[in-house]
Amino acid sequence: MAEIWNTQPTVDRLLSEAKSGAERLVQAGLIPKLTVVRVGNHPASRVYVQKKVQMCQDLGFGSDHLQFEESISESELLATIIGLNNDKTVHGILVQLPLPDHVNAEKILNAIDPDKDVDGFHPVNVGRLSIGQDGLFPCTPMGVMELIRDAEPQLSGKHAVIVGRSNIVGKPMAQLLLQANCTVSILHSRTQNPQQLARQADIVVAAVGRPGLIDADWLKPGALVADVGINELTDADQVARFTAPDSKKRSAFERNGRVLYGDVNFDSAMQVAGKVTPVPGGVGPLTIAHLMVNCIRAAERSRHE
Ligand code: NDP
């Protein structure tokens, strides 16, 4: 039986690194600042933004939240980004997605100064990551990488399987594990015999967006399993398939008509794996903690320009 992979110690370490980094910078006369840009009134994104802004304040550095109407034009938004690029008091810029359909999100994200790109999505940072240069890299894979390093200091030669090849999770995760000298396999929707490949892995990172896809059949005994997926289950049959009748998740579903579930079939994976991260409360907090680290890195980098 696996142990639940507690991400909190890694989260706490990252937050404490960000806090001491902020203190050092403030003592040197530089107040790190994150500016979050949000368009429209997507309720989930409002909660995310509030959390990020609050966390900056808790760690002792500055944050701003620029809120725009859904009707803002692409050119107005671009002008805002360019203004923030030129503002020396702003060190990190984060555009909260989704953006409205009439705005080309790629154009907006690519306009962010790569050295202020705390999400790490800019092509310059993607390139820096792929050739092993210093830069700002995506927060979810960076946070998961810290978690993996804390659990397994000897990564060299380990086989890591990543399920999913998105630009924001799967691909950067693969680059980071490769840099740590893992042998990396990336599985995707066209992969043949994915279970057979995944069963060879010492480390599995699931970033698919398919609830409960990865079960015991995908896992080698003792594997470390990081579940990035966040899926909202609203279907009673699906909930019945993945959760035990007397479980907390089942009662949460019965109360709210919805429950969050990962890409890993948790109860099944726990029969075989070494450690499995829970959803929610596993990878999510690592992502936001690494965003704070990226803000401090961006502020530190600005001193050397
Ligand atoms: P995407 O939808 O961009 O990518 C999903 C990937 O999964 C694709 O590469 C797709 O393959 C692959 N895939 C789909 N079905 C299968 C299958 N049956 N077998 C193998 N691979 C498959 O998702 P994201 O990477 O953006 O997000 C993945 C999950 O992680 C989502 O649930 C998302 O909500 C969550 N997430 C959580 C974060 C956190 O902080 N915890 C942060 C970011 C995301 P193909 O390329 O062939 O289509």
Side-chain angles (χ1 to χ4, degrees), residues 257-268:
R258 56 183 280 278
V259 69
L260 293 181
Y261 200 79
D263 290 342
V264 174
N265 182 331
F266 188 78
D267 292 344
S268 168

Side-chain angles (χ1 to χ4, degrees), residues 140 163-166 168-169 187-190 207-210 213 228-231 263 283-284 287:
T140 300
V163 193
R165 57 173 164 180
S166 71
I168 60 169
V169 190
L187 315 189
H188 48 80
S189 66
R190 315 292 168 88
V208 195
R210 302 272 182 280
L213 176 74
V228 176
I230 303 177
N231 308 290
D263 290 342
V283 169
T287 301

Side-chain angles (χ1 to χ4, degrees), residues 179-202:
Q179 277 174 20
N181 297 319
C182 288
T183 301
V184 180
S185 306
I186 308 175
L187 315 189
H188 48 80
S189 66
R190 315 292 168 88
T191 301
Q192 293 182 7
N193 302 321
Q195 289 97 331
Q196 197 184 324
L197 290 165
R199 270 200 304 271
Q200 297 168 27
D202 305 297

Side-chain angles (χ1 to χ4, degrees), residues 155-158 176-183:
L155 282 176
S156 185
K158 293 276 190 287
L176 292 168
L177 286 159
L178 193 60
Q179 277 174 20
N181 297 319
C182 288
T183 301

Side-chain angles (χ1 to χ4, degrees), residues 18-280:
K19 189 162 191 257
S20 50
E23 280 163 8
R24 262 196 320 275
L25 287 165
V26 170
Q27 268 165 20
L30 187 153
I31 300 170
K33 187 163 105 181
L34 169 70
T35 296
V36 183
V37 175
R38 189 166 80 97
V39 179
N41 218 357
H42 198 271
S45 79
R46 192 183 65 231
V47 176
Y48 291 141
V49 170
Q50 280 167 351
K51 243 186 179 169
K52 289 166 187 172
V53 166
Q54 182 63 48
M55 195 162 277
C56 295
Q57 287 166 9
D58 293 347
L59 296 178
F61 60 96
S63 56
D64 255 355
H65 173 192
L66 304 183
Q67 169 70 52
F68 296 100
E69 295 292 328
E70 184 92 17
S71 57
I72 188 173
S73 70
E74 188 177 284
S75 55
E76 279 173 283
L77 200 53
L78 268 178
T80 303
I81 300 294
I82 290 163
L84 294 171
N85 286 345
N86 293 329
D87 183 342
K88 290 226 177 301
T89 68
V90 173
H91 305 96
I93 304 169
L94 188 152
V95 176
Q96 185 66 46
L97 299 175
L99 291 175
D101 289 345
H102 66 272
V103 174
N104 181 337
E106 190 175 296
K107 206 165 167 185
I108 301 296
L109 296 181
N110 289 357
I112 298 173
D113 177 346
D115 291 325
K116 297 189 179 189
D117 166 39
V118 286
D119 259 339
F121 296 160
H122 194 285
V124 166
N125 283 319
V126 175
R128 287 168 171 164
L129 176 60
S130 76
I131 58 173
Q133 282 185 3
D134 192 22
L136 295 168
F137 307 132
C139 301
T140 300
M142 287 292 277
V144 171
M145 196 64 213
E146 295 285 340
L147 177 76
I148 293 171
R149 281 187 192 286
D150 282 349
E152 176 53 80
Q154 302 298 329
L155 282 176
S156 185
K158 293 276 190 287
H159 186 195
V161 157
I162 298 147
V163 193
R165 57 173 164 180
S166 71
N167 291 334
I168 60 169
V169 190
K171 286 180 194 159
M173 191 74 244
Q175 295 288 358
L176 292 168
L177 286 159
L178 193 60
Q179 277 174 20
N181 297 319
C182 288
T183 301
V184 180
S185 306
I186 308 175
L187 315 189
H188 48 80
S189 66
R190 315 292 168 88
T191 301
Q192 293 182 7
N193 302 321
Q195 289 97 331
Q196 197 184 324
L197 290 165
R199 270 200 304 271
Q200 297 168 27
D202 305 297
I203 298 158
V204 175
V205 180
V208 195
R210 302 272 182 280
L213 176 74
I214 286 120
D215 63 15
D217 284 347
W218 290 62
L219 301 172
K220 163 165 127 177
L224 297 178
V225 183
D227 189 355
V228 176
I230 303 177
N231 308 290
E232 188 176 83
L233 303 188
T234 52
D235 176 70
D237 290 341
Q238 213 173 22
V239 174
R241 214 175 114 211
F242 294 132
T243 63
D246 53 353
S247 62
K248 277 191 190 155
K249 277 216 188 291
R250 185 73 71 88
S251 32
F253 175 73
E254 278 155 12
R255 258 192 332 272
N256 308 322
R258 56 183 280 278
V259 69
L260 293 181
Y261 200 79
D263 290 342
V264 174
N265 182 331
F266 188 78
D267 292 344
S268 168
M270 288 289 283
Q271 301 301 317
V272 175
K275 292 174 191 269
V276 185
T277 61
V279 176

